[in-house]
Amino acid sequence: MGEYFWLEPKNAFENFQEPDIGLIALAFLQGSFAYGGWNFLNYVTEELVDPYKNLPRAIFISIPLVTFVYVFANVAYVTAMSPQELLASNAVAVTFGEKLLGVMAWIMPISVALSTFGGVNGSLFTSSRLFFAGAREGHLPSVLAMIHVKRCTPIPALLFTCISTLLMLVTSDMYTLINYVGFINYLFYGVTVAGQIVLRWKKPDIPRPIKINLLFPIIYLLFWAFLLVFSLWSEPVVCGIGLAIMLTGVPVYFLGVYWQHKPKCFSDFIELLTLVSQKMCVVVYPEAERGGWLEPGRSRLQ
């Protein structure tokens, strides 16, 4: 409508609160949460057709597209609302719709709901494969590596993901939850990227169907270090609780994996629990898994 008061440099860059490096890091952490979808497709690589070609292609197309849409959506919000209005709003898109769309403002909450549903659907589809893969490696109960006899979906892993998600919802503060998840996600992202650099140095001759220049992971690690260090400094309690949640996996590892000589009663209980879970979910262990690893892109039942 020709009004861009809050986009003018003298207004856009005016400090309405004291700058703080820790808060800037938290802003990056919370803002980057919206762009975190690039990582989820990696979890279902073996279910992709021609993953060595389609995985990089999907990431290269999706990241610029999502960035373009999100940045211009935020430009629209800042054009229509002051920073104080943005911070005071519990649902920025809804407030934006009420200010500009009039009787059609109902479109915004419906659009947000549809977007949220799509995000949850994609997250459930991909995140459950983490538990599925962990169980296949022997790090989790074997029932999590089982699939439905007809639909071939990892139902136990999906149910386990659902329970884990419900436990996270004990906190009602959305920003605290984002800080929990964001901090732990980026901690693992950084360790994974660092592992790629170490492998490139220690094992330079192993096959690498997907390979990029080392400059990109190095830049990412620098950004990662800034993000985590200053987030931890700004919100030590929240980040500390996130670390504590992550460390709950340590006793599970020692109990289920490291402890080799378990008593018979413990093994019998696990077998009974597995059998009951199989009957309730109608799942079996994939036949193909007995013969070893499958090539990426092939069906588990082939």
Side-chain angles (χ1 to χ4, degrees):
M1 300 179 180
E3 299 179 9
Y4 48 91
F5 177 81
W6 292 108
L7 287 182
E8 295 178 359
K10 63 180 181 180
N11 301 314
F13 295 100
E14 181 184 0
N15 290 330
F16 57 91
Q17 66 181 49
E18 192 67 25
D20 182 88
I21 189 68
L23 293 178
I24 292 174
L26 280 178
F28 271 109
L29 188 68
Q30 294 176 359
S32 62
F33 179 81
Y35 300 89
W38 64 269
N39 185 55
F40 288 100
L41 194 59
N42 301 288
Y43 301 159
V44 291
T45 303
E46 69 177 32
E47 300 186 36
L48 290 176
V49 176
D50 195 3
Y52 299 145
K53 181 182 294 183
N54 289 327
L55 178 63
R57 182 182 296 169
I59 293 176
F60 291 153
I61 293 174
S62 63
I63 288 182
L65 181 62
V66 170
T67 302
F68 176 84
V69 172
Y70 282 9
V71 168
F72 273 85
N74 279 277
V75 168
Y77 296 155
V78 175
T79 304
M81 291 177 278
S82 68
Q84 290 79 6
E85 287 179 300
L86 286 170
L87 291 174
S89 174
N90 290 323
V92 175
V94 175
T95 306
F96 173 82
E98 291 173 349
K99 290 195 68 170
L100 295 184
L101 300 182
V103 295
M104 298 299 291
W106 56 269
I107 291 177
M108 296 305 291
I110 291 179
S111 300
V112 171
L114 292 174
S115 176
T116 304
F117 181 81
V120 170
N121 181 59
S123 180
L124 282 175
F125 173 71
T126 54
S127 298
S128 61
R129 268 59 178 181
L130 286 174
F131 303 115
F132 179 87
R136 189 170 62 181
E137 289 289 320
H139 297 162
L140 291 169
S142 60
V143 67
L144 295 178
M146 296 184 181
I147 61 175
H148 193 270
V149 293
K150 292 183 179 180
R151 299 181 179 87
C152 300
T153 52
I155 293 179
L158 284 165
L159 292 175
F160 190 76
T161 305
C162 175
I163 294 171
S164 304
T165 304
L166 292 175
L167 290 175
M168 289 185 183
L169 293 178
V170 294
T171 174
S172 59
D173 188 345
M174 181 59 64
Y175 292 105
T176 300
L177 185 59
I178 289 177
N179 288 339
Y180 281 158
V181 177
F183 181 79
I184 297 304
N185 275 351
Y186 274 91
L187 180 61
F188 278 106
Y189 294 166
V191 172
T192 303
V193 172
Q196 303 303 312
I197 297 176
V198 171
L199 285 176
R200 189 79 70 89
W201 172 51
K202 288 192 171 183
K203 297 183 179 181
D205 299 325
I206 61 175
R208 289 182 171 85
I210 302 175
K211 187 176 180 179
I212 63 170
N213 192 294
L214 273 179
L215 180 64
F216 293 103
I218 290 173
I219 292 175
Y220 181 87
L221 280 180
L222 292 175
F223 172 73
W224 169 81
F226 159 78
L227 204 64
L228 292 191
V229 169
F230 285 104
S231 296
L232 187 59
W233 176 67
S234 179
E235 289 282 356
V237 175
V238 172
C239 295
I241 294 175
L243 286 172
I245 294 173
M246 180 189 69
L247 292 176
T248 57
V250 175
V252 175
Y253 171 80
F254 278 100
L255 181 65
V257 181
Y258 186 79
W259 185 21
Q260 295 292 331
H261 304 291
K262 301 177 180 66
K264 188 175 185 301
C265 61
F266 183 86
S267 301
D268 291 342
F269 172 74
I270 295 298
E271 288 182 8
L272 177 63
L273 183 63
T274 301
L275 182 61
V276 171
S277 301
Q278 280 189 269
K279 290 181 177 181
M280 290 181 62
C281 300
V282 196
V283 292
V284 294
Y285 205 70
E287 180 72 23
E289 297 298 329
R290 298 179 187 172
W293 287 97
L294 291 173
E295 295 178 6
R298 292 186 60 192
S299 168
R300 296 192 187 94
L301 299 182
Q302 288 178 342

